[in-house]
Amino acid sequence: MKKGVMRPGHVQIRVLDLNEAVKHYVELMGLIEMDRDQEGRVYLKAWTEVDKYSVILRESYEPGMDFMGFKCTSEEVVEELRKELLARGCEVEDIPEGDLKDCGRRVQFRAPTGHLFELFATKEQTGKWGVGDHNPEAWPRGLSGMRASRFDHCLLYGPNLPETLDLFSSVLGFDLAEQVVAPDGTRVAQFLTVGMKAHDVAFIHNDEPDKFHHASFFLETWHDVLRAADLLSMTDTAIDIGPTRHGLTHGQTIYFFDPSGNRNEVFAGGDYHYPDHPPVTWDADELGKAIFYHDRQLNERFLTVLT
Amino acid sequence: MKKGVMRPGHVQIRVLDLNEAVKHYVELMGLIEMDRDQEGRVYLKAWTEVDKYSVILRESYEPGMDFMGFKCTSEEVVEELRKELLARGCEVEDIPEGDLKDCGRRVQFRAPTGHLFELFATKEQTGKWGVGDHNPEAWPRGLSGMRASRFDHCLLYGPNLPETLDLFSSVLGFDLAEQVVAPDGTRVAQFLTVGMKAHDVAFIHNDEPDKFHHASFFLETWHDVLRAADLLSMTDTAIDIGPTRHGLTHGQTIYFFDPSGNRNEVFAGGDYHYPDHPPVTWDADELGKAIFYHDRQLNERFLTVLT
Amino acid sequence: MKKGVMRPGHVQIRVLDLNEAVKHYVELMGLIEMDRDQEGRVYLKAWTEVDKYSVILRESYEPGMDFMGFKCTSEEVVEELRKELLARGCEVEDIPEGDLKDCGRRVQFRAPTGHLFELFATKEQTGKWGVGDHNPEAWPRGLSGMRASRFDHCLLYGPNLPETLDLFSSVLGFDLAEQVVAPDGTRVAQFLTVGMKAHDVAFIHNDEPDKFHHASFFLETWHDVLRAADLLSMTDTAIDIGPTRHGLTHGQTIYFFDPSGNRNEVFAGGDYHYPDHPPVTWDADELGKAIFYHDRQLNERFLTVLT
Amino acid sequence: MKKGVMRPGHVQIRVLDLNEAVKHYVELMGLIEMDRDQEGRVYLKAWTEVDKYSVILRESYEPGMDFMGFKCTSEEVVEELRKELLARGCEVEDIPEGDLKDCGRRVQFRAPTGHLFELFATKEQTGKWGVGDHNPEAWPRGLSGMRASRFDHCLLYGPNLPETLDLFSSVLGFDLAEQVVAPDGTRVAQFLTVGMKAHDVAFIHNDEPDKFHHASFFLETWHDVLRAADLLSMTDTAIDIGPTRHGLTHGQTIYFFDPSGNRNEVFAGGDYHYPDHPPVTWDADELGKAIFYHDRQLNERFLTVLT
């Protein structure tokens, strides 16, 4: 957090049918619907989050990610980072307060991978759902489904990984926590963190820009990963892979699809990071094991990504 | 246990290379080497078992199962069941005491599926490994690898399922705990238990007789299934499928192969059975989900079985 | 199950306030209310049980256990055991069909410890709650609180342990699975099982007869024990001890009290038993560790029992 | 980490008998002995730590904590914080490079609670034990005992909590994550974090300065807390309390004592913190539940602290 960027604050996901999507993210994954806006967007939060929401669902003709936003410690930080982005030649777009409900101004920019990101510092805080911050119980009764506890990160596919790493590290203060490197030294995957988590955003090289692999949510335990898998079967939801473990980050994971075809991950565990930790490096010829530690090979579905 | 048959007492497995096999079953799976005999066979036990051993490894030119033995409450039971087998027209072979080390007489017979089974009542009891039966600690320190806690069951492929069920239920006192039934009413899989476990032996229909699908060992928790999966990756051991859950029995499982190509399972959890429980029935068109609850489809490897 | 007694089939518990008790056993412990009768008794089941109910709550002026019933494999078994009880000089009382709702005739007798037990063979089977026996899902959605999965056993205090063991073993077919023995050879605690569970009923010596220590219910995992403990705190329910592990049986446990002062246990894990297993013996001077494996001493509350 | 302080880097603990202490911290807790120095001090690390060591054991006449050190991102940060400490009127002592083996210069200061802390930026990095940073396996085989995964925090008792909070927050960049407040508004306990963990150091008010309550180590799961409790019983090690959960931080925990009487904690789970999170507040009349969420009362032993 050395430049004042704290964490992934929200992700806006496009869905084909809003009602089906709300059912998926609320009843199955356990997010909580907090609000809707005049454009019809639905605002969801995970229960341990202090901010009012972390997921915005927007009905559209095709699935995918509109943008991912990082929360900063102050408006001054947002202003300063805006200047640094401009100084690098990045175009930025200023989104006024209130465009997202109960959220302050946002500064949008496009990364060299083609993805749209944004920085913001102000959002209404409603506190941890069901427990608050005064003599809080261990967890709230009444959570649904997988009981996802927080929005954790996104995995994105696109070109220009070196330029993207440089932007995220030198301007935004991210560290390269983990990477996959080809025999010729090319970095084909980079996992970036701005705090102590194994990753806050990750990129895998892809010739086409702006592809969305998945949005990921945190569960508390490997038992919760099993419960999630069980719930996916009970609701006849398409599983991509899992329950399994990743080699990269060592998290315990399952991948599946929302009704629009967006991939979701829920996971538990995983490594932690400090700024003095050297990046962990996987050889590209170990990519199968790096991604799926037990199967040690990629399935075809993993390779498909959304526009 | 209404006819005096208690449990799977042992399984004799053929392996291509004895040293590699011992390394697999001892260092990786956590069984304990207890003895060897003049024929070179190696005797292994799992730590919670009271008898001296439950797995016998025999070096051979092809992998597979030689026989599976059930322990009975007394020699009188063995004698009585021997008579009932003969009365049904089953050929039996009497194996004298001492053929298996520290084991009493055994009565062998071939089931209609083509598999060789045996009954016995006497085997040296060495007690639970590392804890004993006097002020026993919760578990022994010094276990290796997966720390498999007991030999649990075998899954076998062959023809003549109805005749086999009839033999096991009317003569040996097994219950049909769970089954898979085709639309025409044919039972294509049957899971039999002689105690409270979800199954002590299971059969899946196959035109060719005497095929060995896997020998299965019990772990304590879903966490232990994850550890097992991790150890399989660390030792570069071929995984068949998992970690996942079965629909049938609902156990949490992983399948993998020993160095000779014999399939092993380790699993945790699963349903329990009492004699008044009606059989649980799965429709054959749900076979994928019945076998692998999360993937809901059979992989090709699952369908391969050994001679 | 050598004499045809299968398992603890039900326990009738006296409660001071029926509404509070129902709230405790249903909302907090996760049992399911199945029926009520004209006497005002409430019938509850745990979700994995095939029979219609296993707990009967009766409003009374003092808490405690009215009786504990064992289910047998057939009415013939009940009749035969009735004769054997009479032949031993046990008085039996025949309770006609329908006295407990949807339950057949019951044969009651008083054990030398002073407790009332009964045998029965017929009870309506409603199947596992929420999943049934046709393509059953892994677990039902919609369970409450601790999601107790089955009524497991009772621990009772009274005199005449040797006579009680003799009755339970020679007439009813129970095994002595585990015991605590004083330096002079007196058995001060005996854990009896009629199947593969670590115990179906347990007795601790007490000069006064007919004391009720607790009724116990099974959970699936150590995580569920933690959740149970959390729920006890959230609902301000009095905890006796736990989460911890028992030395005896090695189960993972927590003890607490219902609103009437009856002690409940929920636990996970624990050893298994076969008829050829020698009893596990704890020395009485290790009683603290035998009961509470981690604290290694008895708390005062543990020693209090209900009339 | 806004001022460049990253994490608890080490703690030096006084022990009465070095051999016994090494046995406790290595064989039982699972730390790894990395080195010894000419003064006879022993250097230990937990396996996930990248630095060479995090615990230093020093033989002495009385147990307790000598000092706790925080690692900073650079020597420049150490220098800058040294100036700020002096500017506040704090006395600092400069400890030259090499006083602790393979560690750079350290700046020591005494907090208003009477405890000795130090800042440093340079220590040899040996990488995660047994796995490294190149295609790392999920965990190393060969860990002992509890397999503690990192030194996490210390809980200290002393006076002047407000002044100590002010020093840690304004100079060192810590946040107040959680607190216990008396009815008159006095803060009686403060949990401070400099990263995303629930706490990196915690203070409870005590009239006497410089008291040591415990040093705490992280485990991966609630199952590991159970294993730790089991190992404590198996080794006849004195347990203070647990397994249980804290209300404060919601971690799953067990407290015990090393052979010299120093209290240790191992725990799993627990909340996370970001700089925009308001402090969580517990009322002092809920202190029992805040400390021990299940028992909801403090035991006497908890209140004893070392000089």
Side-chain angles (χ1 to χ4, degrees):
Chain A
M1 306 180 195
K2 53 195 159 205
K3 298 292 293 282
V5 178
M6 286 192 293
R7 68 171 172 268
H10 53 238
V11 60
Q12 183 164 306
I13 297 172
R14 292 188 301 272
V15 296
L16 303 181
D17 180 302
L18 198 59
N19 288 337
E20 277 190 11
V22 169
K23 192 171 167 179
H24 173 88
Y25 287 95
V26 171
E27 289 181 24
L28 179 56
M29 295 189 63
L31 302 183
I32 298 124
E33 183 178 333
M34 295 298 290
D35 213 338
R36 298 199 177 206
D37 67 18
Q38 288 186 321
E39 295 178 49
R41 292 182 295 189
V42 178
Y43 296 76
L44 309 172
K45 80 177 290 174
W47 78 268
T48 70
E49 294 165 349
V50 168
D51 287 340
K52 181 173 174 180
Y53 57 85
S54 60
V55 173
I56 308 115
L57 301 178
R58 181 172 74 86
E59 199 168 67
S60 177
Y61 295 107
E62 58 175 10
M65 179 185 90
D66 279 339
F67 55 80
M68 180 183 182
F70 295 103
K71 193 175 187 192
C72 302
T73 49
S74 70
E75 291 294 341
E76 291 69 36
V77 164
V78 174
E79 188 55 37
E80 168 61 25
L81 296 176
R82 181 181 181 279
K83 281 182 199 154
E84 295 189 35
L85 287 166
L86 286 170
R88 270 183 78 95
C90 252
E91 286 180 41
V92 304
E93 183 170 3
D94 296 300
I95 314 286
E97 178 186 345
D99 173 80
L100 282 177
K101 239 182 161 175
D102 301 313
C103 185
R105 62 94 65 110
R106 294 134 58 209
V107 172
Q108 285 192 339
F109 63 96
R110 203 165 284 281
T113 54
H115 300 90
L116 197 59
F117 291 99
E118 58 185 36
L119 305 173
F120 71 99
T122 307
K123 191 187 281 180
E124 185 186 346
Q125 292 198 326
T126 55
K128 293 188 185 183
W129 185 86
V131 294
D133 56 19
H134 185 212
N135 299 335
E137 300 290 0
W139 36 270
R141 301 181 76 169
L143 289 170
S144 296
M146 297 180 188
R147 306 188 292 236
S149 72
R150 70 166 182 245
F151 166 51
D152 193 87
H153 66 270
C154 288
L155 173 58
L156 306 170
Y157 277 43
N160 305 318
L161 262 53
E163 296 79 359
T164 301
L165 173 58
D166 184 53
L167 177 73
F168 272 77
S169 58
S170 60
V171 178
L172 303 176
F174 283 69
D175 284 347
L176 175 65
E178 206 152 352
Q179 59 184 341
V180 181
V181 176
D184 67 358
T186 311
R187 195 184 315 106
V188 297
Q190 56 197 22
F191 291 68
L192 310 185
T193 181
V194 75
M196 285 179 58
K197 289 161 48 191
H199 48 343
D200 288 310
V201 63
F203 299 95
I204 290 186
H205 173 79
N206 193 59
D207 288 337
E208 274 187 281
D210 196 17
K211 298 291 185 185
F212 179 48
H213 191 270
H214 71 258
S216 180
F217 297 84
F218 196 67
L219 302 181
E220 290 188 28
T221 70
W222 172 235
H223 270 279
D224 291 314
V225 176
L226 175 64
R227 281 188 76 257
D230 291 341
L231 286 163
L232 291 167
S233 279
M234 291 177 193
T235 55
D236 233 345
T237 305
I239 292 180
D240 183 3
I241 192 164
T244 189
R245 187 197 282 280
H246 291 302
L248 285 147
T249 78
H250 295 124
Q252 302 137 30
T253 181
I254 186 164
Y255 284 5
F256 53 98
F257 295 96
D258 80 6
S260 306
N262 292 299
R263 191 186 278 97
N264 300 138
E265 178 187 38
V266 289
F267 78 106
D271 301 328
Y272 61 91
H273 177 83
Y274 278 108
D276 62 336
H277 284 195
V280 172
T281 301
W282 289 80
D283 298 327
D285 56 12
E286 291 274 352
L287 186 62
K289 185 172 177 182
I291 304 285
F292 300 125
Y293 187 62
H294 300 143
D295 281 4
R296 286 162 268 163
Q297 57 189 10
L298 300 183
N299 62 5
E300 281 175 35
R301 275 176 301 190
F302 179 80
L303 302 172
T304 66
V305 284
L306 293 176
T307 314
Chain B
M1 305 180 196
K2 53 197 160 205
K3 298 295 290 287
V5 178
M6 286 192 291
R7 66 170 172 268
H10 53 238
V11 61
Q12 181 163 307
I13 297 172
R14 294 187 300 273
V15 297
L16 304 180
D17 180 303
L18 198 60
N19 289 338
E20 277 189 11
V22 169
K23 191 171 166 178
H24 173 88
Y25 286 94
V26 171
E27 289 181 26
L28 179 56
M29 295 189 63
L31 302 182
I32 299 123
E33 183 177 333
M34 296 298 292
D35 213 338
R36 300 198 176 206
D37 67 17
Q38 289 186 321
E39 295 179 48
R41 290 182 297 190
V42 179
Y43 296 76
L44 309 173
K45 79 177 293 173
W47 76 268
T48 70
E49 295 166 346
V50 167
D51 287 340
K52 181 174 172 180
Y53 55 86
S54 60
V55 173
I56 308 115
L57 301 178
R58 181 173 75 84
E59 199 168 67
S60 178
Y61 295 107
E62 58 175 9
M65 179 184 91
D66 279 338
F67 54 79
M68 180 183 180
F70 295 104
K71 192 176 190 192
C72 303
T73 51
S74 70
E75 291 294 341
E76 291 69 37
V77 164
V78 175
E79 189 53 36
E80 168 61 25
L81 296 176
R82 182 180 180 281
K83 285 181 196 154
E84 295 189 36
L85 287 166
L86 287 170
R88 273 182 75 97
C90 252
E91 287 180 40
V92 304
E93 183 170 3
D94 296 301
I95 313 285
E97 181 185 342
D99 173 81
L100 281 178
K101 237 183 164 174
D102 302 313
C103 185
R105 63 96 62 110
R106 294 136 55 209
V107 171
Q108 283 193 341
F109 64 97
R110 201 166 286 279
T113 53
H115 299 91
L116 197 60
F117 291 99
E118 59 184 37
L119 306 173
F120 71 99
T122 307
K123 189 186 281 178
E124 185 186 347
Q125 293 198 326
T126 55
K128 293 189 185 183
W129 185 85
V131 295
D133 55 19
H134 185 214
N135 301 335
E137 301 290 359
W139 38 269
R141 301 182 75 168
L143 289 170
S144 296
M146 297 181 186
R147 307 187 292 236
S149 71
R150 71 167 180 243
F151 166 50
D152 191 87
H153 66 269
C154 288
L155 173 58
L156 307 171
Y157 277 43
N160 307 318
L161 263 52
E163 296 79 0
T164 302
L165 172 58
D166 185 53
L167 176 74
F168 272 79
S169 57
S170 60
V171 178
L172 304 177
F174 283 70
D175 285 345
L176 175 64
E178 206 154 352
Q179 59 183 343
V180 181
V181 176
D184 67 359
T186 311
R187 196 184 316 105
V188 297
Q190 56 197 21
F191 290 69
L192 310 184
T193 180
V194 77
M196 285 179 56
K197 287 161 50 191
H199 48 341
D200 286 312
V201 64
F203 299 97
I204 290 185
H205 173 80
N206 192 58
D207 288 337
E208 273 187 281
D210 195 17
K211 299 291 184 185
F212 178 48
H213 192 270
H214 71 260
S216 180
F217 298 83
F218 196 67
L219 302 182
E220 292 190 27
T221 70
W222 172 235
H223 269 280
D224 291 316
V225 177
L226 175 64
R227 280 188 77 257
D230 291 341
L231 286 162
L232 291 167
S233 279
M234 291 177 194
T235 54
D236 231 346
T237 305
I239 292 180
D240 183 4
I241 193 166
T244 188
R245 187 198 280 280
H246 291 301
L248 286 147
T249 78
H250 294 126
Q252 302 135 31
T253 181
I254 187 164
Y255 283 7
F256 53 97
F257 296 96
D258 79 5
S260 306
N262 292 298
R263 192 186 277 97
N264 300 139
E265 179 187 37
V266 289
F267 79 106
D271 301 328
Y272 62 92
H273 177 83
Y274 278 108
D276 64 335
H277 285 195
V280 172
T281 302
W282 288 82
D283 298 326
D285 58 9
E286 292 275 351
L287 186 62
K289 185 173 177 182
I291 303 285
F292 299 124
Y293 187 64
H294 299 142
D295 281 5
R296 287 163 266 164
Q297 57 188 10
L298 301 183
N299 62 4
E300 280 175 36
R301 276 175 300 187
F302 178 81
L303 302 172
T304 65
V305 283
L306 293 176
T307 313
Chain C
M1 307 180 195
K2 52 196 161 207
K3 298 294 291 285
V5 178
M6 285 192 292
R7 67 170 172 268
H10 54 237
V11 60
Q12 182 164 307
I13 298 172
R14 293 188 301 273
V15 297
L16 304 180
D17 180 303
L18 197 60
N19 288 338
E20 276 188 12
V22 169
K23 191 171 167 178
H24 174 87
Y25 286 94
V26 172
E27 288 181 27
L28 178 56
M29 295 188 62
L31 302 182
I32 298 124
E33 182 177 333
M34 295 298 291
D35 213 339
R36 300 199 176 205
D37 67 19
Q38 288 186 319
E39 295 178 48
R41 291 182 296 189
V42 178
Y43 296 76
L44 309 173
K45 82 177 290 174
W47 78 268
T48 70
E49 295 167 347
V50 167
D51 288 339
K52 183 174 172 178
Y53 56 85
S54 60
V55 174
I56 308 115
L57 300 178
R58 181 173 74 85
E59 200 168 65
S60 178
Y61 295 107
E62 59 175 9
M65 180 185 91
D66 279 339
F67 54 80
M68 180 182 180
F70 295 104
K71 194 176 188 193
C72 302
T73 51
S74 71
E75 291 293 341
E76 292 69 37
V77 164
V78 174
E79 189 54 36
E80 168 60 25
L81 295 176
R82 181 181 180 279
K83 283 181 199 155
E84 295 189 35
L85 286 166
L86 286 170
R88 270 183 78 96
C90 252
E91 287 179 40
V92 305
E93 184 171 2
D94 295 301
I95 313 286
E97 178 185 344
D99 172 81
L100 280 179
K101 239 183 161 173
D102 301 314
C103 185
R105 63 95 63 113
R106 295 135 56 209
V107 171
Q108 282 192 342
F109 63 96
R110 202 165 285 279
T113 53
H115 300 91
L116 197 61
F117 291 99
E118 59 183 36
L119 306 173
F120 72 98
T122 308
K123 191 187 280 179
E124 186 186 345
Q125 292 198 327
T126 54
K128 292 189 185 182
W129 185 84
V131 295
D133 55 19
H134 185 214
N135 300 336
E137 300 290 359
W139 37 268
R141 300 181 75 168
L143 289 169
S144 295
M146 296 180 187
R147 306 188 291 236
S149 71
R150 71 168 180 243
F151 166 50
D152 191 87
H153 67 271
C154 288
L155 173 59
L156 306 171
Y157 277 44
N160 306 318
L161 260 53
E163 297 80 358
T164 301
L165 172 58
D166 184 53
L167 177 75
F168 271 79
S169 58
S170 61
V171 179
L172 304 177
F174 283 70
D175 284 347
L176 176 64
E178 204 153 353
Q179 60 183 342
V180 181
V181 176
D184 66 1
T186 311
R187 196 185 316 106
V188 296
Q190 55 196 22
F191 291 70
L192 311 184
T193 180
V194 76
M196 284 179 57
K197 287 160 50 190
H199 48 343
D200 288 312
V201 64
F203 299 96
I204 290 186
H205 173 79
N206 193 59
D207 289 335
E208 276 187 278
D210 195 18
K211 299 291 184 185
F212 178 49
H213 191 271
H214 71 259
S216 179
F217 298 83
F218 196 67
L219 302 182
E220 292 189 28
T221 69
W222 171 236
H223 270 279
D224 291 315
V225 176
L226 175 64
R227 279 188 78 257
D230 291 342
L231 286 163
L232 291 167
S233 280
M234 290 177 194
T235 55
D236 231 346
T237 305
I239 292 179
D240 183 5
I241 194 165
T244 188
R245 186 197 282 279
H246 290 303
L248 285 148
T249 79
H250 295 126
Q252 301 136 30
T253 182
I254 187 164
Y255 284 6
F256 52 97
F257 295 96
D258 80 4
S260 307
N262 291 297
R263 191 186 277 96
N264 300 139
E265 179 187 38
V266 289
F267 78 106
D271 301 328
Y272 61 92
H273 177 83
Y274 278 107
D276 63 335
H277 284 194
V280 172
T281 301
W282 289 82
D283 298 326
D285 57 10
E286 291 274 351
L287 185 62
K289 186 172 177 183
I291 304 285
F292 299 124
Y293 187 64
H294 300 142
D295 280 5
R296 287 162 267 164
Q297 56 189 10
L298 301 182
N299 62 5
E300 281 175 33
R301 277 175 300 189
F302 178 81
L303 302 173
T304 67
V305 284
L306 293 176
T307 313
Chain D
M1 306 179 195
K2 52 195 160 205
K3 299 293 291 284
V5 178
M6 287 193 291
R7 66 171 173 269
H10 54 238
V11 60
Q12 182 164 306
I13 297 173
R14 293 188 300 272
V15 296
L16 304 181
D17 180 303
L18 198 60
N19 288 338
E20 277 189 11
V22 168
K23 192 171 167 179
H24 173 88
Y25 286 94
V26 171
E27 289 181 27
L28 178 57
M29 296 189 61
L31 302 183
I32 299 122
E33 182 177 334
M34 296 298 291
D35 213 338
R36 300 198 176 206
D37 67 18
Q38 289 186 319
E39 296 178 48
R41 291 181 297 188
V42 179
Y43 296 75
L44 309 172
K45 79 178 290 175
W47 76 269
T48 70
E49 294 165 348
V50 168
D51 287 340
K52 181 174 173 180
Y53 56 86
S54 61
V55 174
I56 307 115
L57 301 177
R58 180 172 74 86
E59 200 168 65
S60 178
Y61 294 107
E62 58 174 10
M65 180 185 91
D66 279 338
F67 54 79
M68 180 184 181
F70 295 104
K71 192 176 188 192
C72 303
T73 50
S74 70
E75 292 293 342
E76 290 69 36
V77 163
V78 174
E79 188 55 36
E80 169 59 26
L81 295 176
R82 181 180 181 282
K83 282 181 200 156
E84 294 189 37
L85 287 166
L86 286 170
R88 270 183 77 94
C90 252
E91 287 180 40
V92 304
E93 184 171 3
D94 295 300
I95 315 285
E97 181 184 342
D99 172 81
L100 281 178
K101 239 182 162 176
D102 300 314
C103 185
R105 63 93 65 109
R106 295 135 57 209
V107 171
Q108 284 192 340
F109 63 97
R110 200 165 287 278
T113 54
H115 299 91
L116 196 60
F117 291 98
E118 58 185 36
L119 306 173
F120 71 99
T122 307
K123 190 188 281 179
E124 185 185 345
Q125 292 199 325
T126 55
K128 293 189 185 184
W129 186 84
V131 294
D133 56 19
H134 186 213
N135 300 335
E137 301 291 0
W139 37 270
R141 301 182 77 168
L143 289 170
S144 297
M146 298 181 186
R147 306 187 293 236
S149 71
R150 69 166 181 246
F151 165 50
D152 192 87
H153 67 270
C154 289
L155 172 58
L156 306 171
Y157 278 43
N160 306 318
L161 262 54
E163 295 79 0
T164 302
L165 172 59
D166 184 55
L167 177 75
F168 272 79
S169 59
S170 60
V171 178
L172 304 176
F174 283 70
D175 284 347
L176 175 65
E178 206 153 351
Q179 60 183 342
V180 182
V181 176
D184 66 358
T186 311
R187 197 185 314 107
V188 296
Q190 56 196 20
F191 291 69
L192 310 185
T193 180
V194 75
M196 285 180 57
K197 288 161 50 191
H199 48 342
D200 287 312
V201 64
F203 299 96
I204 290 186
H205 173 78
N206 192 57
D207 288 337
E208 274 186 279
D210 195 17
K211 299 291 183 183
F212 178 47
H213 192 270
H214 71 259
S216 181
F217 297 83
F218 197 67
L219 302 181
E220 290 188 30
T221 70
W222 172 234
H223 270 279
D224 291 315
V225 176
L226 175 64
R227 282 188 76 258
D230 291 342
L231 287 163
L232 291 168
S233 279
M234 291 177 193
T235 55
D236 232 346
T237 305
I239 291 180
D240 183 4
I241 193 165
T244 187
R245 186 197 282 281
H246 291 301
L248 285 148
T249 78
H250 295 126
Q252 301 137 31
T253 181
I254 186 163
Y255 283 6
F256 52 98
F257 295 96
D258 79 6
S260 308
N262 292 298
R263 192 185 278 96
N264 299 140
E265 178 188 38
V266 288
F267 79 106
D271 301 327
Y272 61 91
H273 177 83
Y274 277 108
D276 62 335
H277 284 195
V280 172
T281 301
W282 289 81
D283 297 326
D285 57 11
E286 292 274 351
L287 185 63
K289 186 172 177 182
I291 303 285
F292 299 124
Y293 187 63
H294 299 143
D295 281 4
R296 286 162 268 162
Q297 57 189 11
L298 300 183
N299 62 5
E300 279 175 36
R301 274 175 302 190
F302 179 81
L303 302 174
T304 65
V305 283
L306 294 175
T307 313

